[in-house]
Amino acid sequence: MPINEYGIYVRALRKKNNQNLNDMAKLMGVSISFLSAMEVGTKTMPLDIADRVGSWIEFDEKQV
């Protein structure tokens, strides 16, 4: 499965915030391997996890 736009966005957001896979996986409540696979497009993100990412992104935007 090719890299998808959502995975690219999540990776860019993680890097923008100087977070490694371990840090962001903990925030999202997923394993490091799942987050990595989602970023490169080999796994899709379930809606409940996407909601957590959305909440985290909203929190991040408030920090700016």
Side-chain angles (χ1 to χ4, degrees):
M1 181 179 288
I3 296 176
N4 61 45
E5 289 183 36
Y6 193 74
I8 292 169
Y9 179 73
V10 170
R11 177 175 275 177
L13 181 65
R14 176 174 62 78
K15 295 209 176 243
K16 174 186 162 233
N17 287 291
N18 297 315
Q19 292 196 329
N20 59 35
L21 281 168
N22 186 48
D23 294 337
M24 190 162 185
K26 284 181 183 178
L27 284 170
M28 293 173 61
V30 299
S31 69
I32 296 168
S33 60
F34 178 83
L35 177 58
S36 177
M38 189 279 309
E39 286 185 352
V40 299
T42 57
K43 297 263 184 186
T44 57
M45 183 172 288
L47 289 177
D48 64 321
I49 295 173
D51 287 341
R52 286 184 239 161
V53 172
S55 296
W56 187 72
I57 291 167
E58 288 175 19
F59 174 76
D60 179 64
E61 289 174 349
K62 291 177 183 175
Q63 299 295 324
V64 175

